[in-house]
Amino acid sequence: MGEFTILGICGSLRKGSYNRMLLNAAKGLSPGGVTLDEVKIDELPLFNADLESNLPQSVKYLKAKIKAADAILFISPEYNYSIPGVLKNAIDWASRPYPDNSWAGKPVAIMGVSGGMLGTARMQYHLRQVFVFLDMHPVNKPEVMVGMAAQKFDKDGKLTDETARKLTAQLLENLVTWAKKIR
Ligand SMILES: Cc1cc2nc3c(=O)[nH]c(=O)nc-3n(C[C@H](O)[C@H](O)[C@H](O)COP(=O)(O)O)c2cc1C
């Protein structure tokens, strides 16, 4: 266990996800004394306000992991120019039941990988808008938008692109510095 815990959440559920490959690369690029753990969102039911009075176990688990973390890292694809439904579902669940918003006050960073050129830029700006209502505190720079996924990883899923590796390491360092500053 490091002294500082970042909770990673991946917006893609598929086995061969490039975004999970980036999350795994980030684990090896974290500063010393920092643990980056992933919490899976596969088991969450679709959000239904009728379930809020008796929260599903998977939601309780997610909320506890968020509360215990020093900072949050979203790593997500862009779907139809926005946030994938599975990720938005997880965000909505952990923001409830009102007023128990588990995201409130958390420092947060975003990264993303896409098959096309723009590297999830549109999804990232939509997430930043959502952070306003969640009362999360995003790191602004660097923006880690990894386009042309097929050219950035080798056949074993290792991130081989030097620029992406450098930006990822810098973002994680900035996230830790930012979190300590606003603590
Ligand atoms: C439903 C759907 C919508 C998509 N929309 C976009 C998009 O708006 N912009 C984009 O760059 N790529 C889009 N893609 C392509 C993704 O960038 C690509 O599938 C990527 O590999 C998904 O991330 P993953 O490998 O982590 O699953 C879309 C893919 C799917 C399945």
Side-chain angles (χ1 to χ4, degrees):
M1 271 300 269
E3 307 147 10
F4 187 100
T5 309
I6 300 174
L7 187 67
I9 300 178
C10 181
S12 173
L13 305 187
R14 73 183 188 96
K15 223 178 333 158
S17 163
Y18 287 116
N19 282 279
R20 182 155 299 95
M21 291 176 196
L22 182 61
L23 195 164
N24 288 334
K27 288 179 184 168
L29 294 167
S30 298
V34 172
T35 305
L36 171 55
D37 273 341
E38 181 184 0
V39 65
K40 296 278 180 70
I41 56 174
D42 309 43
E43 307 281 310
L44 296 171
L46 288 177
F47 180 79
N48 179 344
D50 292 341
L51 305 179
E52 283 188 85
S53 53
N54 185 16
L55 282 186
Q57 210 47 48
S58 55
V59 175
K60 284 187 187 161
Y61 182 75
L62 173 64
K63 286 174 72 68
K65 293 293 280 188
I66 294 164
K67 283 180 188 174
D70 295 300
I72 308 294
L73 176 64
F74 289 113
I75 305 108
S76 179
E78 173 178 286
Y79 281 179
N80 298 309
Y81 284 14
S82 190
I83 304 163
V86 291
L87 180 58
K88 186 62 166 50
N89 186 56
I91 290 172
D92 292 342
W93 264 126
S95 72
R96 303 292 297 181
Y98 181 82
D100 184 22
N101 168 16
S102 305
W103 306 108
K106 292 285 174 185
V108 59
I110 316 170
M111 310 196 293
V113 190
S114 73
M117 299 280 283
L118 288 185
T120 74
R122 293 158 291 217
M123 179 283 300
Q124 295 202 17
Y125 294 128
H126 283 187
L127 259 185
R128 285 180 188 272
Q129 180 179 328
V130 171
F131 292 159
V132 176
F133 191 69
L134 295 175
D135 196 20
M136 298 185 86
H137 303 301
V139 171
N140 287 329
K141 297 213 172 160
E143 294 182 298
V144 184
M145 298 167 171
V146 183
M148 312 306 283
Q151 299 168 21
K152 307 289 167 70
F153 299 86
D154 69 13
K155 62 175 182 10
D156 300 318
K158 182 173 182 285
L159 179 65
T160 50
D161 185 77
E162 258 325 298
T163 306
R165 292 183 69 83
K166 262 196 211 140
L167 288 172
T168 299
Q170 188 64 59
L171 180 67
L172 291 163
E173 195 181 317
N174 289 5
L175 176 61
V176 175
T177 305
W178 172 236
K180 289 182 174 167
K181 197 163 157 182
I182 66 171
R183 192 177 267 169

